[in-house]
């Protein structure tokens, strides 16, 4: 699959959206859909911590980057007009308002599925990419546990 | 045979460390590994049933047969993003 | 509508996605969907210039910023959980691969309609915000004309 | 009465300039303005039928009644993004 514009990373560095976008842009590119997640400092949704001081992320880095590659492959299968895909997770101690994750998909035009592709990317990342976060708030520290059990051979 | 065990998140806390070299009989399965681990590391036992397992960076079911030098990771359902 | 995180601009400056995102992030924010458009240097889609040297944008700036505000109002009506909205159009001479426009919507969670809101935003911008571009390619210069005729009172 | 005319894109090219102060009879409508403009600026005439019109930064139909000092802009369908 030479020539595919892919960028997968687990990093402790700040996410630079400008650079990440430029990295998956080529001459034929006319549109990008980007998702970013941020640390919520407070939440009113039931089941979520009302107040968070910070999150601490860890990852099984080589497997995470492999699984990001798999997610990108699934995206290309479903939306073959997607040109570039960046999937980046920041790890370490991250404070409220900080972008923690980015999924960006580029294509020639916006009607190619780029929005759906980015949405699919973040949904799949949260299912199968081995990353975990511990929430530290006024009540102490707690690992946040996902609810997806991957099916070997499928996930 | 020897395999390399990795622990993440709640499993790492329970294991008290991130990595462990582990001795197993040849052709042991993931299921047998978990059973053995529960015996040798009782603090891990309560976590093993709900934990996910990867072998050489791929999700692996209990019946997966292990080989010398495999990298086996144990961790809870993921929560990245 | 005090306290709404809105940012509307027509600018000749480079779009800084990091700063624009930070500007519409607050403590309760956990997700952002961002659309950017770029100048295509080449295209294989019928009806589009095969090769473009650059685009030259102009805008009726005060009306454009008013119409951006209107688009944001329409977004908030449809997706009331959206927290922040940034709509920015860059004008002037812009070369291939350059981001020209950005629509970003933030919310507490990604299932709040942020993706649909960003998509709606770019669709509406291309209908009613008074901006025009001239395409300059090997064959000369040509104004690109839209196809939407706004309905007074609605658009 | 006097209104301020603005031209953009193809209309600016045809008008040969971006702005123009224009004299109209009191209570003239947008439609009457366009008719008058076609007479005084024949090079604009072929563009007027398809052009969009805003009055004080709001899209305005032909029957809109104009007032002294209004800012009226003429331009083709938009193509931003």
């Amino acid at each position: 699959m030479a020539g595919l514009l892919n960028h997968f990373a687990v990093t402790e560095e700040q996410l630079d959206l400008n650079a990440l976008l430029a990295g998956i842009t080529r001459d034929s590119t006319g549109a990008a859909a980007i998702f970013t997640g941020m640390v919520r400092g407070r939440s009113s949704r039931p089941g979520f911590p009302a107040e968070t001081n910070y999150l601490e992320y860890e990852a099984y880095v080589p497997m995470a980057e492999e699984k990001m590659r798999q997610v990108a492959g699934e995206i290309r299968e479903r939306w073959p007009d997607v040109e570039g895909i960046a999937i980046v997770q920041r790890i370490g101690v991250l404070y409220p308002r900080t972008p923690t994750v980015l999924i960006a998909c580029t294509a020639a035009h916006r009607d190619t599925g780029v929005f759906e592709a980015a949405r699919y990317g973040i949904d799949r990342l949260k299912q199968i990419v081995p990353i975990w976060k511990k929430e530290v708030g006024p009540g102490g520290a707690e690992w946040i546990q996902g609810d997806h059990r991957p099916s070997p051979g499928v996930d | 045979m020897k395999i390399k065990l990795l622990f993440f998140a709640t499993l790492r806390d329970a294991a008290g460390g991130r990595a462990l070299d582990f001795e197993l009989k040849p052709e042991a399965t993931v299921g047998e590994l978990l059973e053995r681990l529960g015996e040798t590391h009782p603090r891990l036992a309560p976590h093993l049933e709900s934990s996910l397992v990867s072998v050489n960076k791929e999700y692996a079911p209990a019946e997966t047969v292990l080989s010398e030098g495999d990298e086996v990771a144990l961790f809870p359902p993921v929560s990245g993003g």
Side-chain angles (χ1 to χ4, degrees), chain A, chain B:
Chain A
M1 311 251 279
L4 287 185
L5 286 177
N6 279 334
H7 180 75
F8 312 121
V10 175
T11 176
E12 302 204 15
E13 305 297 314
Q14 199 171 316
L15 303 186
D16 181 344
L17 278 63
N18 300 317
L20 289 166
L21 181 60
I24 55 167
T25 299
R26 55 185 172 198
D27 259 10
S28 54
T29 304
I34 305 168
F35 175 83
T36 65
M38 292 85 137
V39 179
R40 265 186 305 275
R42 53 187 174 78
S43 175
S44 53
R45 186 179 278 198
F48 287 82
E51 207 183 322
T52 297
N53 295 341
Y54 62 85
L55 297 178
E56 192 171 350
Y57 284 78
E58 74 173 60
Y60 179 12
V61 176
M63 180 172 170
E65 292 179 351
E66 270 311 300
K67 287 290 158 185
M68 287 172 173
R69 181 175 304 279
Q70 176 184 326
V71 171
E74 293 176 9
I75 287 173
R76 291 188 187 285
E77 230 171 75
R78 285 164 178 75
W79 295 281
D81 289 338
V82 166
E83 291 183 345
I85 302 175
I87 305 179
V88 184
Q89 172 77 50
R90 188 172 174 192
I91 57 171
V93 171
L94 299 175
Y95 289 88
R97 302 187 178 214
T98 308
T100 59
V101 67
L102 170 140
I103 315 277
C105 296
T106 56
H109 301 270
R110 72 188 187 286
D111 59 3
T112 48
V114 281
F115 289 92
E116 294 79 0
R119 174 71 196 257
Y120 179 87
I122 183 62
D123 287 349
R124 285 296 276 161
L125 178 138
K126 283 170 174 273
Q127 287 183 333
I128 67 167
V129 180
I131 305 161
W132 304 269
K133 57 185 168 232
K134 185 156 60 177
E135 193 258 338
V136 180
E142 193 172 5
W143 284 103
I144 297 180
Q145 188 159 323
D147 53 12
H148 185 76
R149 300 197 64 83
S151 309
V154 178
D155 284 338
Chain B
M1 65 181 184
K2 201 173 266 181
I3 61 162
K4 187 180 182 184
L5 279 175
L6 297 175
F7 304 102
F8 293 97
T10 46
L11 274 287
R12 179 167 55 80
D13 289 351
R18 184 160 179 149
L20 188 66
D21 286 331
F22 201 72
E23 194 66 40
L24 271 180
K25 69 172 168 53
E27 299 188 27
T29 63
V30 163
E32 288 163 343
L33 161 66
L34 296 180
E35 206 172 309
R36 188 90 190 87
L37 252 183
E39 294 162 10
T40 58
H41 292 71
R43 289 189 53 213
L44 276 175
H47 298 275
L48 293 175
E49 197 177 351
S50 65
S51 110
L52 303 180
V53 181
S54 69
V55 176
N56 301 329
K57 307 176 191 73
E58 198 50 74
Y59 290 108
E63 61 272 23
T64 307
V65 176
L66 298 169
S67 305
E68 170 77 26
D70 277 351
E71 180 173 292
V72 180
L74 303 185
F75 48 77
V78 308
S79 60

